[in-house]
Amino acid sequence: MRRPGPTRRPGPVPSASGGAGLLRAALLLVAALAAGPRPALAGAWTAEPGSSFLSIAVAPDPDGPTGLRRDRYIEHGWREGLTIGLNSNQVIDPGRPDRFEGRVEGFVRARLLRSEAGDVVSLQAEAGGGFLKSDDGADVTARLLWGRGFASRFGDAWAEASVGWRVESASYEADRALATAVLGLRPGPGWLSLVQVEADLDGERTGRAWQAARISWIAVREIGRGDSLSLQVEATPWSHAVADGVQVRLGLWRRF
């Protein structure tokens, strides 16, 4: 089964003109995604202490009874180099608006390294599981994340990558091997864009568990002080035991 996941947002992007400085947090969509097939997890950068980021998106859910789900993602800079957050994915049931059915997970991201050249390395620990969903057992995940900002002819840019491993508690689920690569760009004032490739694989190589490789294009437009609209188009060029097709997600971001 395909699990949805948090809307993506990289943290402060290192400024290439200064070589070592950090731009303030750029609102930016993964993961899912983040794998998790999620549109991806937040990037390697940690949030500024005391600052928070929230995203809410409506996304397709082929496994849900209504075909739609609501994704929520929030993170908070707890202290310097340490970010905490929560992600939830809720099946939309118009007939039972007060019922929560979906997945909830929390995470802690700790910065391990920030180099003079602009490299950032972080470690992220996650714990989550399904709520009122019998096909999504509890699990824990560890990810190693790297990111770096640089200048380009089109504007400030950055690259990031992560690798991870998810341990499943349910005997019917195989442990997962996770990987993500992202290239992002600020093409102009108030605009963000990125391309993301992610793989969510059967880590135990059982041959029975689902697997998928996905590619996403994401655009974000600032509409007000701290508020942005996001659009994500995701395709699955390769998969096993799951069929996602092309999916479109619309979201609202808020930084505060």
Side-chain angles (χ1 to χ4, degrees):
M1 173 186 176
R2 183 184 194 279
R3 289 186 189 151
T7 303
R8 184 179 183 79
R9 163 203 181 274
V13 178
S15 171
S17 59
L22 292 178
L23 293 176
R24 274 202 62 100
L27 291 178
L28 186 56
L29 198 37
V30 135
L33 57 231
R38 319 201 149 262
L41 296 171
W45 291 272
T46 52
E48 294 291 330
S51 69
S52 300
F53 171 82
L54 169 69
S55 76
I56 301 175
V58 176
D61 182 7
D63 299 322
T66 64
L68 292 173
R69 71 170 192 266
R70 182 182 295 111
D71 295 345
R72 298 180 180 92
Y73 173 88
I74 186 168
E75 68 174 34
H76 177 72
W78 186 21
R79 59 183 63 180
E80 177 63 26
L82 193 64
T83 297
I84 58 176
L86 184 70
N87 170 62
S88 70
N89 316 113
Q90 178 184 4
V91 174
I92 298 177
D93 186 349
R96 307 184 66 179
D98 298 330
R99 174 186 170 91
F100 182 92
E101 178 183 346
R103 176 178 173 84
V104 177
E105 67 180 21
F107 69 86
V108 177
R109 186 185 320 125
R111 188 176 63 231
L112 304 179
L113 170 69
R114 184 169 59 193
S115 73
E116 290 298 322
D119 294 285
V120 175
V121 178
S122 297
L123 181 65
Q124 183 161 299
E126 308 159 19
F131 189 83
L132 296 181
K133 295 187 71 175
S134 59
D135 58 351
D136 187 359
D139 53 66
V140 293
T141 304
R143 298 179 196 261
L144 184 65
L145 309 106
W146 165 86
R148 184 172 188 176
F150 57 94
S152 79
R153 60 182 296 185
F154 304 106
D156 289 331
W158 67 95
E160 57 185 276
S162 71
V163 292
W165 187 269
R166 172 171 296 118
V167 177
E168 302 280 0
S169 64
S171 59
Y172 55 83
E173 293 185 292
D175 293 348
R176 314 294 299 176
L178 312 171
T180 305
V182 180
L183 183 63
L185 176 70
R186 277 181 169 274
W191 285 96
L192 294 170
S193 180
L194 69 81
V195 175
Q196 170 181 293
V197 179
E198 62 176 346
D200 194 331
L201 306 176
D202 175 0
E204 298 180 27
R205 303 181 68 178
T206 63
R208 301 183 303 275
W210 66 270
Q211 303 186 83
R214 303 184 180 90
I215 183 168
S216 301
W217 173 78
I218 303 155
V220 181
R221 173 60 180 172
E222 187 176 348
I223 58 173
R225 188 173 181 179
D227 293 332
S228 299
L229 293 177
S230 66
L231 169 67
Q232 175 177 353
V233 180
E234 177 187 283
T236 306
W238 174 85
S239 65
H240 170 71
V242 63
D244 296 328
V246 177
Q247 300 191 18
V248 178
R249 298 183 175 91
L250 299 175
L252 174 65
W253 295 4
R254 170 161 290 183
R255 187 177 63 184
F256 54 96

